[in-house]
Amino acid sequence: MSAAPGKARRGTRFEQSAATREPAWIKWSILAASLGFFLLFVLLPLIAVFVEALRRGLAPYLAAIIEPDALAALRLTLTIAAIAVPLNLVFGIAAAWLIAKFDFRGKQLLTTLIDLPFSVSPVIVGLMYVLIFGANGWFGQWLLAHDLKVIFALPGIVIATVFVTFPFVARELIPLMQAQGREEEEAAVVLGANGWQVFWHVTLPNIKWGVIYGVVLANARAMGEFGAVSVVSGKLRGQTTTLPLQVEILYNEYNFAAAFAVASLLALLALVTLALKSWVEHRSRRADTGGSLSLEAAAAVAAANRATRTSAEKPAS
């Protein structure tokens, strides 16, 4: 029967070799340890947030969420994400395109600087901006003279959030664009496409899922950022408090029910982000990794260019 060979080939290619195959008890032990770690340190705390938030019932839970300071914190959180994420999107695409498609002096330095927010504490980032834009900072007197406020206001929170989130889009796109190479862009240029046409019709379709994935990660970090925002915001209730800061304020006031209610709202936003991230990963795996579509797009762009030039060269009747 042909079923026996199929059973013999069950498992990954790594497991088909006797030298690399592990006993079943080792695989199950590793799986149990991984699941136990996930349940203890991830799932259980997440469940605890919602349990504590709803401990007193649905009415107190809803009252804590619609409280004016909580709504103001939610609006500020979404506003900051709506400003910081598009800025990082533009920077990330430009930096990734520059690093992956061109050779220039200082390329390695730029790549290293992009990783800087990963190695600097967010609290240090906040203090850095206070020293620059604060009342006693480098530009503090000039800002006061022109009635401009950065620290303890929305601009300072946005700047700090942009700094801690700007590597995500770029770091997602750089290896992707390097793996794709430059052949398709060069083919489009040879066929007559200009720079913007190459980007919109060749480069962007190939990196669109990477772009979305980087945006999702940057958005998650922007909504959950605490350290840098806590320094530059001043924690003015109803004015400069984001959802994470609002949770801390309520918890320090021993208002645990309201603190967990607001924390559950932030957790729901995180779960939505996680679901969107999983969907993007699923779609990116199913996406066609070949370059034929881009080459067809390049050919279409070139044909459109030739048609435009031909119509422009015809003498007016």
Side-chain angles (χ1 to χ4, degrees):
M1 298 294 291
S2 59
K7 291 183 178 179
R9 295 180 60 84
R10 182 178 300 174
T12 64
R13 183 178 179 182
F14 182 82
E15 294 175 324
Q16 291 173 9
S17 173
T20 56
R21 188 183 306 121
E22 296 290 347
W25 69 269
I26 293 182
K27 293 189 290 185
W28 285 107
S29 298
I30 296 175
L31 178 61
S34 302
L35 289 178
F37 187 90
F38 171 78
L39 292 174
L40 182 62
F41 293 102
V42 179
L43 187 59
L44 186 60
L46 183 62
I47 295 175
V49 168
F50 290 96
V51 171
E52 292 296 328
L54 296 170
R55 181 179 293 276
R56 296 185 180 180
L58 186 60
Y61 174 79
L62 295 177
I65 289 180
I66 63 175
E67 195 264 337
D69 288 343
L71 291 178
L74 176 61
R75 285 194 297 269
L76 182 60
T77 302
L78 297 178
T79 300
I80 293 170
I83 298 174
V85 173
L87 292 176
N88 286 324
L89 173 63
V90 174
F91 168 80
I93 294 177
W97 198 9
L98 181 65
I99 292 173
K101 305 297 182 181
F102 300 96
D103 295 320
F104 56 92
R105 184 175 299 177
K107 179 177 180 178
Q108 187 60 44
L109 177 62
L110 177 59
T111 306
T112 303
L113 291 177
I114 290 176
D115 293 333
L116 185 62
F118 289 144
S119 58
V120 178
S121 170
V123 175
I124 302 302
V125 173
L127 290 174
M128 176 181 66
Y129 285 120
V130 170
L131 292 175
I132 295 176
F133 300 110
N136 297 319
W138 294 354
F139 302 106
Q141 296 303 317
W142 185 87
L143 292 172
L144 289 174
H146 292 80
D147 196 23
L148 299 175
K149 195 171 184 180
V150 176
I151 302 300
F152 307 149
L154 178 62
I157 302 175
V158 171
I159 292 173
T161 304
V162 167
F163 182 89
V164 299
T165 58
F166 83 82
F168 288 97
V169 177
R171 264 299 162 198
E172 185 65 29
L173 293 180
I174 289 173
L176 176 62
M177 297 177 74
Q178 286 177 335
Q180 291 175 350
R182 313 175 186 176
E183 291 80 7
E184 296 182 8
E185 284 83 357
E186 292 173 351
V189 172
V190 170
L191 291 172
N194 58 37
W196 280 110
Q197 290 172 327
V198 171
F199 175 75
W200 285 110
H201 297 282
V202 180
T203 304
L204 189 59
N206 282 337
I207 65 171
K208 61 180 179 180
W209 295 114
V211 170
I212 297 175
Y213 188 73
V215 166
V216 169
L217 294 179
N219 182 70
R221 179 63 188 275
M223 291 191 299
E225 174 56 31
F226 179 84
V229 172
S230 66
V231 176
V232 302
S233 68
K235 299 180 182 179
L236 305 177
R237 297 188 66 163
Q239 300 180 39
T240 62
T241 54
T242 59
L243 283 178
L245 299 182
Q246 183 69 12
V247 172
E248 183 203 25
I249 291 174
L250 293 173
Y251 192 85
N252 290 336
E253 294 176 348
Y254 301 101
N255 191 354
F256 299 127
F260 279 107
V262 178
S264 69
L265 186 61
L266 189 60
L268 286 174
L269 292 176
L271 291 175
V272 171
T273 302
L274 180 62
L276 182 59
K277 170 180 170 291
S278 300
W279 176 78
V280 171
E281 288 178 337
H282 175 70
R283 290 297 301 269
S284 63
R285 282 194 297 266
R286 295 182 57 185
D288 183 16
T289 58
S292 59
L293 179 60
S294 295
L295 292 176
E296 292 175 0
V301 170
N305 284 343
R306 286 194 296 269
T308 303
R309 288 194 298 266
T310 301
S311 60
E313 293 172 358
K314 287 182 178 180
S317 56

Short mmCIF file of all heavy atoms in Angstrom, two decimals, residues 116-129 160-161 163-165 221 224-232:
data_model
loop_
_atom_site.label_atom_id
_atom_site.label_comp_id
_atom_site.label_asym_id
_atom_site.label_seq_id
_atom_site.Cartn_x
_atom_site.Cartn_y
_atom_site.Cartn_z
N LEU A 116 19.11 53.30 16.98
CA LEU A 116 19.41 54.02 18.22
C LEU A 116 18.27 53.95 19.25
O LEU A 116 18.52 53.72 20.44
CB LEU A 116 19.77 55.46 17.92
CG LEU A 116 20.23 56.33 19.10
CD1 LEU A 116 21.51 55.75 19.69
CD2 LEU A 116 20.45 57.77 18.64
N PRO A 117 17.01 54.15 18.87
CA PRO A 117 15.93 54.08 19.86
C PRO A 117 15.81 52.72 20.55
O PRO A 117 15.24 52.63 21.64
CB PRO A 117 14.68 54.39 19.04
CG PRO A 117 15.16 55.19 17.90
CD PRO A 117 16.50 54.62 17.57
N PHE A 118 16.32 51.65 19.92
CA PHE A 118 16.27 50.34 20.56
C PHE A 118 17.27 50.22 21.71
O PHE A 118 17.10 49.38 22.60
CB PHE A 118 16.57 49.24 19.54
CG PHE A 118 15.46 49.03 18.55
CD1 PHE A 118 15.75 48.71 17.23
CD2 PHE A 118 14.13 49.16 18.91
CE1 PHE A 118 14.73 48.51 16.30
CE2 PHE A 118 13.11 48.97 18.00
CZ PHE A 118 13.40 48.64 16.70
N SER A 119 18.31 51.05 21.69
CA SER A 119 19.37 50.94 22.69
C SER A 119 19.33 52.04 23.75
O SER A 119 20.08 51.97 24.72
CB SER A 119 20.74 50.94 22.01
OG SER A 119 20.92 52.11 21.24
N VAL A 120 18.51 53.05 23.56
CA VAL A 120 18.41 54.16 24.50
C VAL A 120 17.13 54.02 25.31
O VAL A 120 16.05 53.78 24.75
CB VAL A 120 18.44 55.51 23.77
CG1 VAL A 120 18.29 56.66 24.76
CG2 VAL A 120 19.73 55.66 22.98
N SER A 121 17.23 54.17 26.60
CA SER A 121 16.05 54.08 27.47
C SER A 121 15.05 55.18 27.13
O SER A 121 15.45 56.34 26.92
CB SER A 121 16.46 54.20 28.93
OG SER A 121 15.33 54.35 29.76
N PRO A 122 13.75 54.87 27.06
CA PRO A 122 12.76 55.92 26.78
C PRO A 122 12.79 57.06 27.78
O PRO A 122 12.50 58.21 27.42
CB PRO A 122 11.43 55.16 26.83
CG PRO A 122 11.78 53.74 26.50
CD PRO A 122 13.14 53.53 27.11
N VAL A 123 13.12 56.76 29.05
CA VAL A 123 13.20 57.84 30.03
C VAL A 123 14.33 58.81 29.67
O VAL A 123 14.18 60.03 29.79
CB VAL A 123 13.42 57.24 31.43
CG1 VAL A 123 13.63 58.35 32.46
CG2 VAL A 123 12.24 56.37 31.84
N ILE A 124 15.44 58.28 29.21
CA ILE A 124 16.56 59.13 28.77
C ILE A 124 16.13 59.98 27.57
O ILE A 124 16.52 61.14 27.46
CB ILE A 124 17.78 58.28 28.42
CG1 ILE A 124 18.21 57.45 29.62
CG2 ILE A 124 18.93 59.15 27.93
CD1 ILE A 124 18.55 58.26 30.84
N VAL A 125 15.34 59.38 26.69
CA VAL A 125 14.82 60.15 25.54
C VAL A 125 13.99 61.33 26.02
O VAL A 125 14.14 62.46 25.53
CB VAL A 125 13.99 59.23 24.63
CG1 VAL A 125 13.32 60.04 23.52
CG2 VAL A 125 14.86 58.13 24.03
N GLY A 126 13.10 61.08 26.98
CA GLY A 126 12.29 62.17 27.52
C GLY A 126 13.14 63.26 28.15
O GLY A 126 12.91 64.46 27.93
N LEU A 127 14.13 62.87 28.95
CA LEU A 127 15.02 63.86 29.57
C LEU A 127 15.80 64.63 28.52
O LEU A 127 16.06 65.84 28.68
CB LEU A 127 15.97 63.15 30.53
CG LEU A 127 15.35 62.57 31.81
CD1 LEU A 127 16.39 61.78 32.58
CD2 LEU A 127 14.76 63.68 32.67
N MET A 128 16.19 63.96 27.46
CA MET A 128 16.92 64.63 26.38
C MET A 128 16.09 65.76 25.78
O MET A 128 16.60 66.88 25.56
CB MET A 128 17.28 63.60 25.31
CG MET A 128 17.96 64.15 24.08
SD MET A 128 18.29 62.82 22.88
CE MET A 128 16.62 62.34 22.43
N TYR A 129 14.81 65.50 25.53
CA TYR A 129 13.96 66.54 24.95
C TYR A 129 13.65 67.64 25.96
O TYR A 129 13.45 68.81 25.56
CB TYR A 129 12.67 65.92 24.41
CG TYR A 129 12.88 65.19 23.11
CD1 TYR A 129 12.60 63.83 23.00
CD2 TYR A 129 13.38 65.84 21.99
CE1 TYR A 129 12.80 63.15 21.82
CE2 TYR A 129 13.58 65.17 20.80
CZ TYR A 129 13.29 63.82 20.72
OH TYR A 129 13.51 63.15 19.55
N ALA A 160 8.56 62.82 21.22
CA ALA A 160 9.09 61.68 21.96
C ALA A 160 8.57 60.36 21.39
O ALA A 160 9.32 59.38 21.29
CB ALA A 160 8.72 61.80 23.45
N THR A 161 7.31 60.33 21.01
CA THR A 161 6.73 59.11 20.45
C THR A 161 7.33 58.79 19.09
O THR A 161 7.59 57.62 18.77
CB THR A 161 5.20 59.26 20.34
OG1 THR A 161 4.66 59.58 21.62
CG2 THR A 161 4.57 57.96 19.85
N PHE A 163 10.31 59.48 18.13
CA PHE A 163 11.67 58.99 18.33
C PHE A 163 11.67 57.51 18.70
O PHE A 163 12.46 56.72 18.14
CB PHE A 163 12.37 59.79 19.43
CG PHE A 163 13.80 59.37 19.65
CD1 PHE A 163 14.82 59.97 18.94
CD2 PHE A 163 14.13 58.39 20.58
CE1 PHE A 163 16.14 59.59 19.13
CE2 PHE A 163 15.44 58.00 20.78
CZ PHE A 163 16.45 58.60 20.06
N VAL A 164 10.82 57.09 19.62
CA VAL A 164 10.85 55.71 20.10
C VAL A 164 10.23 54.73 19.10
O VAL A 164 10.39 53.52 19.23
CB VAL A 164 10.17 55.58 21.47
CG1 VAL A 164 10.87 56.43 22.51
CG2 VAL A 164 8.69 55.93 21.38
N THR A 165 9.49 55.24 18.11
CA THR A 165 8.80 54.34 17.18
C THR A 165 9.35 54.37 15.76
O THR A 165 8.94 53.55 14.94
CB THR A 165 7.30 54.68 17.12
OG1 THR A 165 7.13 56.05 16.72
CG2 THR A 165 6.63 54.47 18.46
N ARG A 221 3.39 50.38 19.51
CA ARG A 221 4.35 51.03 20.41
C ARG A 221 3.92 52.45 20.73
O ARG A 221 4.10 52.92 21.86
CB ARG A 221 5.74 51.01 19.77
CG ARG A 221 6.82 51.68 20.61
CD ARG A 221 7.03 50.95 21.93
NE ARG A 221 7.92 51.67 22.82
CZ ARG A 221 9.24 51.60 22.80
NH1 ARG A 221 9.84 50.81 21.90
NH2 ARG A 221 9.96 52.27 23.65
N GLY A 224 1.19 52.41 23.39
CA GLY A 224 1.59 51.89 24.68
C GLY A 224 2.81 52.53 25.29
O GLY A 224 3.23 52.12 26.38
N GLU A 225 3.40 53.53 24.66
CA GLU A 225 4.62 54.14 25.17
C GLU A 225 4.36 54.83 26.52
O GLU A 225 3.39 55.56 26.69
CB GLU A 225 5.17 55.16 24.17
CG GLU A 225 6.35 55.95 24.66
CD GLU A 225 7.51 55.08 25.11
OE1 GLU A 225 7.70 53.96 24.56
OE2 GLU A 225 8.23 55.51 26.01
N PHE A 226 5.26 54.60 27.45
CA PHE A 226 5.09 55.15 28.81
C PHE A 226 6.28 56.02 29.23
O PHE A 226 6.11 57.15 29.65
CB PHE A 226 4.90 54.02 29.81
CG PHE A 226 4.74 54.49 31.23
CD1 PHE A 226 3.51 54.90 31.71
CD2 PHE A 226 5.84 54.54 32.09
CE1 PHE A 226 3.36 55.35 33.01
CE2 PHE A 226 5.71 55.00 33.39
CZ PHE A 226 4.46 55.39 33.86
N GLY A 227 7.51 55.47 29.12
CA GLY A 227 8.66 56.13 29.72
C GLY A 227 8.92 57.53 29.20
O GLY A 227 8.96 58.50 29.98
N ALA A 228 9.11 57.66 27.89
CA ALA A 228 9.41 58.98 27.32
C ALA A 228 8.25 59.94 27.48
O ALA A 228 8.44 61.13 27.79
CB ALA A 228 9.78 58.83 25.84
N VAL A 229 7.03 59.43 27.29
CA VAL A 229 5.85 60.29 27.39
C VAL A 229 5.65 60.78 28.82
O VAL A 229 5.25 61.92 29.06
CB VAL A 229 4.61 59.53 26.89
CG1 VAL A 229 3.34 60.32 27.16
CG2 VAL A 229 4.73 59.25 25.40
N SER A 230 5.95 59.94 29.81
CA SER A 230 5.77 60.34 31.21
C SER A 230 6.69 61.49 31.59
O SER A 230 6.35 62.31 32.46
CB SER A 230 6.02 59.14 32.14
OG SER A 230 7.38 58.74 32.09
N VAL A 231 7.84 61.61 30.94
CA VAL A 231 8.79 62.67 31.25
C VAL A 231 8.38 63.98 30.60
O VAL A 231 8.41 65.04 31.23
CB VAL A 231 10.21 62.27 30.82
CG1 VAL A 231 11.19 63.42 31.05
CG2 VAL A 231 10.67 61.04 31.59
N VAL A 232 8.00 63.94 29.33
CA VAL A 232 7.73 65.18 28.59
C VAL A 232 6.30 65.67 28.73
O VAL A 232 6.00 66.79 28.33
CB VAL A 232 8.06 64.99 27.09
CG1 VAL A 232 9.51 64.59 26.90
CG2 VAL A 232 7.14 63.96 26.46
#
